[in-house]
Structures are given as C-alpha cells and as structure tokens.
Amino acid sequence: QPQAGDTSPEPDEPELAARTVLNALGNVYRKLGDTEKARERFERALVIAERSRHTGLTIGALVNLAEIEAGEKRWPEALALNRRALALAREAGSRDSIAVCLNNIGDALRESGDLEGALSHYRESMRLFEEMKARPRLVVSYLSLGQLSVRTGRDAEAETYLRKAFDLAGEVAEANLRKDAAGELAALYERRGDFRSAYRYRGEWDA
C-alpha cells in the first residue's frame, strides 16, 4: 500500500487491483506455509509495482519478499531486498517505511553475526518510531535493542531498553512481548545478584 510521504504517481486502477490481489494471495500462501507460491505472487506484484513506477507499492513488494527470505533464514537475500526497499523509502521520504526497513535490516544483520551493525540500525529505527509515536512498533524496537545489548555486554543499556519494552507493552496490551521483556529482565537481575528484582520479573514472566 502507498506509504506516508510517497509522491509517486497513482498506478492505473487495474494494475493496482492486480497488485492488491497478488499481495493478498501471497500473504495467504505465506500463512499456509507455501513459501514458493507466496514468493511467486510477491514477485509478480513487484513487477507490476515497478512497471507502474509507484514507489510505495514497490517498497511493499520488496518488504514482503524480504520477509519470505527471512522466514527461510536466507539472510543475505533478505538483507539485499530490505536495502533496496530502504533506498526507495529514503527517496520518497516515508519515515514509516524507512523505520520498518531499518528494523528489518537490523534483524538480518543480527542473524548474520554483525551485532554492531544491527544495533546501529535498530537505534535509527527506534528514533524514527519515537518521533512518530508508533507505540506498538516501539515495543519491538526496545525489546530488540535490549536483547542485543545483553548479547554485546551492555547491561546498563539493556536494562533501560527492556524496562521500556516491559512498561510500554503493558500500555499497548502486547502480552507476549511483555512476557519476553520480563524474562530478559529476570535473567539480567539474576546475573547481577539482584534477586528481589529478578523474582518480581520472573513472576511476570510466569504469569
């Protein structure tokens, strides 16, 4: 779908309808676990979007294809697709799309072992989500930053991000993400020897 800040021309109505149907079918096949059929639909949607010269639709198709590759742990392919989408999003000035692509690139870099690169992209994505007050997406940003800060030995930063994730997840009713943050905090406090705090968050994780 078109993204905020996108100034590309509207596609012809039949092309938009075709792309919308292909995208919907791709998502159905992805949920059914048929990644090949999903990929085929998303690739056809990308061709239509590029032919229409509509930046927002092209970004969406690239992100969908990147998610297919990420689901199969094909991280170099996911990274390349997300970087293409990010370049287009920057040209269009779409902050939402930029933030999403940065977060997805962070995921791919993390899984590829580039933890510092992942942190950099997560931080930039978080700043944009904060500016937009995109609260549900911020929960994911804070949690990702907290978990990766733990892995890179930044316990003070990890505590800050994880507590933000825990508190905000409660405010936006993201129960599973709140439990994830609680589990990470419990483990962090146990390592510090702060068993009172560890017990508190362990209780939240077990709830």
Side-chain angles (χ1 to χ4, degrees), residues 133-194:
K133 297 180 171 56
R135 285 154 56 84
R137 286 176 169 172
L138 266 175
V139 177
V140 176
S141 283
Y142 291 146
L143 184 58
S144 295
L145 278 164
Q147 291 169 330
L148 199 49
S149 294
V150 169
R151 287 179 63 181
T152 55
R154 297 172 167 90
D155 280 2
E157 286 184 41
E159 180 183 11
T160 298
Y161 289 131
L162 291 170
R163 291 184 68 166
K164 284 184 175 182
F166 178 82
D167 292 339
L168 187 55
E171 293 174 18
V172 299
E174 289 283 358
N176 289 335
L177 294 177
R178 185 176 169 88
K179 285 174 71 74
D180 289 344
E184 294 281 355
L185 283 164
L188 181 95
Y189 287 125
E190 283 176 17
R191 288 196 302 274
R192 281 189 186 172
D194 182 353

Side-chain angles (χ1 to χ4, degrees), residues 20-185:
T20 301
V21 169
L22 287 167
N23 185 60
L25 285 171
N27 282 316
V28 168
Y29 282 121
R30 180 167 55 188
K31 288 177 182 177
L32 292 174
D34 193 335
T35 55
E36 286 310 308
K37 287 184 178 178
R39 182 184 284 109
E40 178 190 345
R41 270 61 179 184
F42 291 144
E43 286 174 346
R44 287 168 62 189
L46 177 60
V47 169
I48 293 171
E50 290 181 325
R51 185 169 63 224
S52 302
R53 294 182 297 113
H54 193 286
T55 305
L57 300 184
T58 303
I59 293 168
L62 288 167
V63 169
N64 282 332
L65 281 167
E67 288 179 358
I68 290 288
E69 302 299 346
E72 296 191 337
K73 302 188 184 306
R74 292 160 53 94
W75 300 112
E77 291 81 0
L79 189 57
L81 287 162
N82 278 309
R83 281 176 168 160
R84 283 176 62 190
L86 176 61
L88 289 172
R90 288 196 191 281
E91 287 178 13
S94 173
R95 288 194 303 165
D96 183 69
S97 294
I98 292 168
V100 169
C101 291
L102 286 167
N103 183 78
N104 293 349
I105 290 170
D107 289 343
L109 290 173
R110 180 194 65 209
E111 296 301 322
S112 302
D114 183 357
L115 303 188
E116 295 301 322
L119 276 171
S120 175
H121 283 78
Y122 282 148
R123 286 172 181 145
E124 190 176 353
S125 176
M126 178 199 69
R127 284 193 293 271
L128 288 170
F129 284 140
E130 285 181 335
E131 288 174 8
M132 293 183 288
K133 297 180 171 56
R135 285 154 56 84
R137 286 176 169 172
L138 266 175
V139 177
V140 176
S141 283
Y142 291 146
L143 184 58
S144 295
L145 278 164
Q147 291 169 330
L148 199 49
S149 294
V150 169
R151 287 179 63 181
T152 55
R154 297 172 167 90
D155 280 2
E157 286 184 41
E159 180 183 11
T160 298
Y161 289 131
L162 291 170
R163 291 184 68 166
K164 284 184 175 182
F166 178 82
D167 292 339
L168 187 55
E171 293 174 18
V172 299
E174 289 283 358
N176 289 335
L177 294 177
R178 185 176 169 88
K179 285 174 71 74
D180 289 344
E184 294 281 355
L185 283 164

